[in-house]
Every structure is written in C-alpha cells, then in structure tokens.
Amino acid sequence: MTAQHTLTVAGVTVDTRHWIGGERVASADTFEDISPIDGSVLGEIARGTAKETDAAVAAAKAAFPAWAATSRAERARILHAIADGVEKRLEELAIVETTDNGALLRSHRRGVMPRVAHNFRFFADWLLNLDHEDFETRGHTNHVSWDPAGPSVLITPWNAPLMLATWKVAPALAAGNTVVLKPAEWSPLTASLLADIAAEAGLPAGVLNVVQGYGSEIGDALTSHPDVRRISFTGSVPTARRIAGSAAANLTPLSLELGGKSPLLVFADADLDLAVDLAVEQYDNAGQVCLAATRFLVEESVAEEFTRRFVEKAGQLTQGDPREAATDIGPNIHPRQLEKIDGFVRRAVEAGARAVIGGHRKDGQYYAPTLLTDVAQDSEIVQEEVFGPVLTLQTFTDEDEAVRLANDTRFGLAATVATRDPERAARVTERLVAGTVWVNCFFVRDLQAPFGGSRHSGVGREGGTWSFDFYCDLKNTVTAPNGWTNHG
C-alpha cells in the first residue's frame, strides 16, 4: 500500500481506493474529500468510472452463486463477525465519520456506531428465524421460501453514511445477495473502512464491493446494468426519478427512501415542556435528518407560549466543533448545501416570513438554528425539503385543520404528535399520511418495524421481514398429497 492511496484522520489510516473483488483498485482520476468542520481537504479519493462499476458488478455476479449457496448459519456467523469488527474499531469509525461529515462525535460514539454493529447482528439473527408456516390448499402443501435475488446496488447518503449503508448492506448480505455499495461522495471514508472490516471478518471476495465517485458519472452505469437484480437508494426525489428511469429497461426492483417534510402537531392539551423538547430535537445533525419534523403545527391557543419556551430552549444549544463534548449542533456537510439552505431562508423572508431565531449563516459551514413564522401553506419553505437547521411554525384551530395542514405536502415520511389525549392521538394518527408516526416521542426506531415513506417519500419498506422480501425472490412451492406414489 503506497502513501498516495491512503489518508490519515486522527491517526486512523483510510484507503482511498475502491474495493472490488477483494482487492483495492485505483482509478485514473480522484476527487477531493473535504471536512465540513473546517473546510480542510482530507485527501484525494479514487473517482470511479464505468470501468470500475462494470468490474464491481462482474465481481458481485461471480461471487453470487457461492454466497447464495452458503448456509444461513454461516452467513449469520460472518455478519456477527463483521459486527464484532465494528465494535472493535468503534472509536476509529466514530472519529473518521465525524471528521468526514460533521455529525456529533458523542452521537457517533454512543448511538450511531453501536447501531451499525446492531444492524449486522439483527439481520443475522432474523435470517435464522425467517420462516413462514406451511399451509394447505385442498390437501396440497404450500411452502414459502426466500431465494437470494442476485447482485444488489446500494446507493447511500451522506447524513449518516455508515449507519444508513449498513441498514442496506446487512439485510442484502443476510439474504444471500452480493453487493456493490456506492457511498455519497461527500462522506466516503467509513465505507472504505467497512470493506476492511468485512474482509477481516471472513466475507468472501466479491460479496461486498465499494465503488466511490460522483453519482452523476457512475450512477447510470450501476443502475442500468443488466446483471443487477436489486437497487436500493436513499436520497432525493430528483435522483430517485433518474434511478427509476435507468432501472426501467431491465425492470430492476427498486427500494427508495426519499425526502420528507414531516409535521410536529402540538395540541393545546399537550405537555408543552415535552413538546418543546421534541421540537428542539429537530435540530439534530444540523437539521440533516430525513425524518425531522421541520413543520411545527401548533394549536392557536398555546402557540405563543410554545414559541416562547422553544426560543428559550433553543437558545441554550451550543453550535460549534462536533468533536467537542459540549457541542449540540455541528456544521452542514458542504458549501453547496449551505448555499441551498441559505437560499431557502432568504427567499422565505423575501416572501414575508419572519425569523424568530436564526435566519443567517455563521462562520465556516455553520448555519444558525432557525425558526420561521408567518409562512403560507403553499410557500416553498413549507412545501420543499431544506435539509438544514430550518424549521417553520404555523397554527391551527381544530383537529381537522391540523390534519389537513399536516398532509398538505407531496411527502409522507413521518409525523410526530404531542397530546395528552389517547383518543385524540388515535384519531389523528389514523388520518395522517406517513410511514412512521410518533406520539409524544421522536426517533424511536426498531429494526423489526417497517420503515419507509408514502407519496414522494419513497417506495417500499425496510426492516425485519420486509427487507428480506425486497432482497429475495419469494417462492411458493405447492406439493400434491400423496405425490410420491408411483402410479405406473
């Protein structure tokens, strides 16, 4: 390994080449990886082309028959070994990812990286118990089985790079598929470390491949490839449209987890301190969370008091270096993202919105936590995903108006409801268009539960058996009664 093919982050060495067929592969060109913390260049990353994507798919195709034939027990053992490797290198993964994408180091240590290991353990264990009880049809026996589908392309985002990548990689591998992982170009480093960990855990060559580069340059080559049997993507609606069009020629099944513009509904009977805590939590990861409840819908009679308490609570947040233990909000990922966020806010203010707090850039790639009021329901700031620390507040007078406002976007990823009335909670949640609804809580996630969005927030569900349903070809075998009798 030569120095030009590695970079060092806080003493951790990361290979900057692709991982294809169990080997490191360089490219003729590279791209810069920049830390959002201070704008420094971390290093030059191999910039993939159709040549590398074709090689990665070929490697996945070649490795598929043997991996698909590997017993469930052995696949599960290797996934647990990968989890062991993640836990062994948890501190390294945490500091590398914080430096690469700017999320809080304490969050990576306490929650995100342990969740990465859990992703592998959960799907390894679920695989061993994956079953459907046989059933009878006019005396015939039906037996349902999950057959590995084949090489899978997984395209992952930059806001929680390793956790969201392994959310896809773990079930795909458990199902018996081989994988080509394409990490986001703004945060590629932990995907490279995952390749090392998987190889050390004994994952056969070609079962996991990692190709780095710009989606605009290699995305079509991956998603239109005739040997790819599954495509899973987390990201924006416009990119999903391109992927769907690219996959259409081969009728390649898609799983799409897309944007959100989720509401937080605060009713007058809510515990306002709890509601404010939930509201302030929406600034997590500098607002770069697809599930964030960015639209506050507050019952008119308590809106003034809610706003007062929110401003007080938000004012206690510390924004700064995400490596510091006292920091609550770090930087936004990239100068282009910061410009996008600022553009949304400037246009909203020009249209009549009022910034109760924030509304401006800070030094470097930091944007002040922002709350906008006096916003129209049909305005851009209410209808479009900002993906930054920018929240809006509107009021309502009754349940019908609250539900109407909550559902009045093209998205349907999540919703949060704050109320002390269980009957109201039941009525409202039944009417909300969302893949996940939280009542008096936020971001409680269990891999047993289905996860995904409605409308433009996605296609399909991930989690538990739903993940295996996607990554497999389901088969029903019907056997006749006394079918073994020789009638000759």
Side-chain angles (χ1 to χ4, degrees):
M1 187 181 297
T2 59
Q4 67 191 44
H5 292 313
T6 65
L7 58 79
T8 303
V9 176
V12 182
T13 300
V14 184
D15 200 302
T16 58
R17 294 171 292 179
H18 314 286
W19 178 255
I20 300 173
E23 297 180 349
R24 289 292 176 179
V25 176
S27 287
D29 201 0
T30 60
F31 63 92
E32 286 186 341
D33 184 27
I34 300 172
S35 173
I37 298 174
D38 55 11
S40 62
V41 177
L42 298 175
E44 297 288 332
I45 310 299
R47 183 172 176 173
T49 65
K51 175 184 176 182
E52 288 80 28
T53 60
D54 285 348
V57 174
K61 182 180 180 181
F64 173 66
W67 182 243
T70 300
S71 70
R72 287 187 177 192
E74 178 62 9
R75 274 186 255 150
R77 185 193 68 78
I78 292 176
L79 263 62
H80 274 290
I82 295 173
D84 292 341
V86 169
E87 290 171 347
K88 181 180 178 181
R89 301 187 67 177
L90 189 146
E91 181 65 24
E92 295 180 8
L93 291 167
I95 188 61
V96 168
E97 187 138 300
T98 289
T99 307
D100 203 18
N101 89 325
L104 299 185
L105 179 57
R106 72 167 188 261
S107 295
H108 281 139
R109 284 171 170 160
R110 297 174 187 172
V112 177
M113 294 308 160
R115 174 62 181 272
V116 169
H118 176 65
N119 286 346
F120 284 103
R121 297 200 192 283
F122 174 88
F123 285 107
D125 293 341
W126 199 269
L127 169 66
L128 296 179
N129 295 295
L130 184 65
D131 194 18
H132 189 293
E133 186 177 348
D134 290 353
F135 57 97
E136 298 294 320
T137 304
R138 298 190 300 276
H140 296 64
T141 300
N142 293 264
H143 175 74
V144 177
S145 58
W146 286 260
D147 293 351
S152 302
V153 166
L154 313 179
I155 303 173
T156 55
W158 44 259
N159 57 321
L162 191 58
M163 196 279 285
L164 293 178
T166 56
W167 200 343
K168 301 176 186 294
V169 170
L173 296 181
N177 291 1
T178 52
V179 166
V180 178
L181 171 62
K182 192 279 178 193
E185 57 266 28
W186 288 351
S187 55
L189 300 185
T190 48
S192 181
L193 293 176
L194 176 64
D196 294 335
I197 291 169
E200 291 166 5
L203 190 70
V207 174
L208 172 65
N209 306 274
V210 180
V211 179
Q212 301 150 154
Y214 294 108
S216 59
E217 295 178 349
I218 63 174
D220 184 66
L222 284 171
T223 56
S224 66
H225 202 292
D227 291 333
V228 170
R229 295 292 178 260
R230 293 292 186 274
I231 299 169
S232 183
F233 168 73
T234 297
S236 71
V237 172
T239 301
R241 288 195 179 104
R242 292 195 293 272
I243 290 172
S246 183
N250 299 311
L251 296 178
T252 308
L254 296 169
S255 175
L256 304 173
E257 197 268 279
L258 309 178
K261 196 68 180 176
S262 302
L264 165 59
L265 290 76
V266 180
F267 289 92
D269 65 356
D271 178 336
L272 279 192
D273 286 334
L274 170 64
V276 167
D277 286 344
L278 295 174
V280 172
E281 194 175 346
Q282 308 311 313
Y283 288 131
D284 181 48
N285 201 17
Q288 299 168 146
V289 178
C290 60
L291 290 162
T294 56
R295 295 185 294 133
F296 299 165
L297 304 176
V298 185
E299 193 159 355
E300 198 171 74
S301 61
V302 296
E304 183 176 347
E305 179 63 14
F306 172 88
T307 304
R308 184 191 68 77
R309 295 191 198 185
F310 175 85
V311 170
E312 180 181 353
K313 185 86 172 181
Q316 299 170 11
L317 297 173
T318 299
Q319 187 168 26
D321 191 325
R323 296 167 294 192
E324 299 294 331
T327 299
D328 299 303
I329 303 177
N332 290 98
I333 184 74
H334 193 275
R336 290 213 307 268
Q337 184 65 17
L338 191 70
E339 179 61 35
K340 176 185 173 185
I341 295 165
D342 191 49
F344 270 111
V345 174
R346 284 189 286 103
R347 291 190 297 272
V349 171
E350 289 168 2
R354 179 172 68 91
V356 178
I357 60 171
H360 58 85
R361 296 186 186 198
K362 301 177 79 171
D363 291 339
Q365 287 176 211
Y366 296 79
Y367 201 87
T370 297
L371 176 65
L372 300 175
T373 60
D374 301 331
V375 293
Q377 179 63 22
D378 61 355
S379 64
E380 178 192 53
I381 197 66
V382 169
Q383 294 293 325
E384 298 298 328
E385 185 177 47
V386 178
F387 223 60
V390 178
L391 311 171
T392 63
L393 189 150
Q394 299 165 270
T395 62
F396 63 85
T397 57
D398 56 29
E399 282 184 24
D400 287 342
E401 185 179 18
V403 172
R404 178 181 63 78
L405 293 173
N407 289 339
D408 187 22
T409 75
R410 62 194 174 107
F411 297 105
L413 188 56
T416 304
V417 178
T419 177
R420 283 191 175 102
D421 184 343
E423 293 182 358
R424 166 175 280 152
R427 288 194 304 269
V428 171
T429 57
E430 184 178 6
R431 297 170 64 191
L432 291 174
V433 178
T436 300
V437 181
W438 288 287
V439 179
N440 295 326
C441 60
F442 177 68
F443 221 59
V444 178
R445 282 279 297 116
D446 192 312
L447 284 175
Q448 297 180 76
F451 177 78
S454 304
R455 298 175 175 170
H456 284 197
S457 286
V459 175
R461 294 293 185 268
E462 298 177 280
T465 301
W466 292 277
S467 287
F468 287 95
D469 287 348
F470 173 70
Y471 287 111
C472 292
D473 289 322
L474 270 73
K475 178 190 294 177
N476 186 43
T477 302
V478 184
T479 303
N482 303 317
W484 316 117
T485 303
N486 184 349
H487 294 287

